[in-house]
């Protein structure tokens, strides 16, 4: 399941966060790479322990906690604190699959990476290339979103970032351990929740809403890993 989520950050918050990121100290992106990724990766990152990374990451986490689409689609149990990368001309990230377990350097906490997420800080008109290409059972998707928008997709997907040929691509990336480990089960729950929301808007007093909502929660109760 691949979902794009618009306007995670509003215009002013996006501008404030971007200004902080632009002024931060950037290092070689392989500081967070596993063995496989290090062979394919050519970009820059802000170190995890950076105050800017913690502050902007905290703002993203707070925004996500209030975003109904993210909460419904991800059903998050744990979210790895956002990291930040940028790609200038000639930078790229070859095909890879994200590590199944991530460990936070400061806290030592580990999460299972069920979902990967990228939040775009640069708009598509600011750079050429730099598409996030994701391959999974939903086919191959090429993703290049407006600034402030987020893409959510299975962490098990093969994916890469195409070479940037003009300008600079900047974004946040992070992982989610979902209460629902299985992507197929998450897809069913997402579809049911979307139907419940649509029926609530169209026919709020329809008696089937109670039954459908009950079925949703019974499936969540059956499948949740908490």
């Amino acid at each position: 399941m691949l979902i794009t989520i618009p306007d995670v950050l509003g215009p002013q918050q996006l501008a404030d966060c971007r200004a902080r990121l632009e002024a931060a100290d950037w290092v070689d992106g392989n500081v967070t790479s596993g063995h496989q990724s290090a062979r394919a990766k050519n970009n820059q990152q802000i170190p995890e322990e950076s105050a800017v990374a913690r502050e902007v990451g905290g703002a993203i986490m707070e925004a996500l906690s209030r975003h109904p689409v993210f909460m419904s689609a991800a059903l998050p149990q744990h979210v790895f604190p956002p990291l930040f990368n940028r790609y200038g001309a000639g930078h790229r990230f070859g095909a890879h699959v994200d590590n199944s377990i991530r460990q936070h350097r400061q806290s030592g906490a580990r999460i299972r990476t069920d979902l990967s997420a990228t939040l775009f800080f640069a708009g598509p008109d600011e750079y050429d290339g730099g598409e996030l290409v994701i391959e999974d059972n939903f086919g191959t998707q090429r993703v290049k979103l407006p600034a402030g928008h987020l893409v959510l997709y299975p962490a098990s997907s093969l994916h890469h970032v195409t070479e940037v040929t003009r300008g600079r691509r900047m974004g946040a990336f992070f992982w989610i351990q979902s209460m629902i480990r299985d992507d197929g089960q998450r897809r069913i729950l997402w579809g049911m929740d979307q139907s419940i929301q649509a029926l609530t808007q169209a026919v709020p007093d329809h008696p089937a809403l109670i039954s459908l909502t009950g079925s949703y929660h019974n499936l969540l109760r059956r499948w949740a890993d908490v």
Side-chain angles (χ1 to χ4, degrees), residues 16-221:
D16 292 344
C17 289
R18 179 165 175 170
R20 297 294 310 279
L21 296 174
E22 294 280 10
D25 293 325
W26 294 79
V27 299
D28 188 296
N30 279 312
V31 294
T32 59
S33 296
H35 174 71
Q36 179 195 55
S37 294
R39 301 173 61 187
K41 189 176 188 181
N42 180 15
N43 64 11
Q44 293 181 310
Q45 287 182 205
I46 298 177
E48 284 185 50
E49 62 273 13
S50 163
V52 172
R54 291 197 304 269
E55 292 165 11
V56 177
I60 293 170
M61 298 273 275
E62 183 179 351
L64 289 172
S65 72
R66 301 191 307 266
H67 202 295
V69 178
F70 174 80
M71 297 302 291
S72 174
L75 293 169
Q77 184 172 21
H78 303 293
V79 180
F80 193 91
L83 303 173
F84 302 89
N85 60 19
R86 70 182 182 186
Y87 296 75
H91 285 175
R92 60 185 291 276
F93 198 161
H96 64 286
V97 174
D98 290 338
N99 290 348
S100 56
I101 305 294
R102 299 293 306 197
Q103 181 171 5
H104 190 252
R105 290 188 178 187
Q106 281 68 54
S107 68
R110 293 185 178 91
I111 75 162
R112 183 185 67 242
T113 58
D114 297 321
L115 294 160
S116 296
T118 295
L119 175 63
F120 289 78
F121 274 94
D125 59 334
E126 297 183 60
Y127 59 97
D128 293 332
E131 293 177 305
L132 174 60
V133 182
I134 304 166
E135 302 175 41
D136 210 312
N137 54 17
F138 44 70
T140 299
Q141 302 289 325
R142 305 178 73 89
V143 182
K144 189 173 182 179
L145 300 179
H149 293 211
L150 178 142
V151 61
L152 187 68
Y153 60 97
S156 56
S157 302
L158 183 68
H159 57 282
H160 68 275
V161 176
T162 64
E163 182 176 338
V164 172
T165 58
R166 177 192 65 86
R168 192 159 63 191
R169 175 194 194 271
M170 184 164 61
F173 63 102
F174 53 97
W175 300 272
I176 300 99
Q177 179 173 320
S178 177
M179 292 185 289
I180 306 300
R181 180 191 298 246
D182 182 77
D183 183 60
Q185 292 172 347
R186 277 197 310 275
R187 189 182 303 116
I188 291 169
L189 290 169
W190 163 253
M192 289 183 70
D193 189 49
Q194 293 300 290
S195 296
I196 290 167
Q197 298 303 320
L199 282 171
T200 299
Q201 292 294 319
V203 282
D205 297 323
H206 198 290
L209 270 170
I210 296 174
S211 176
L212 183 58
T213 302
S215 294
Y216 172 89
H217 284 286
N218 286 334
L219 286 174
L220 183 59
R221 185 177 294 110

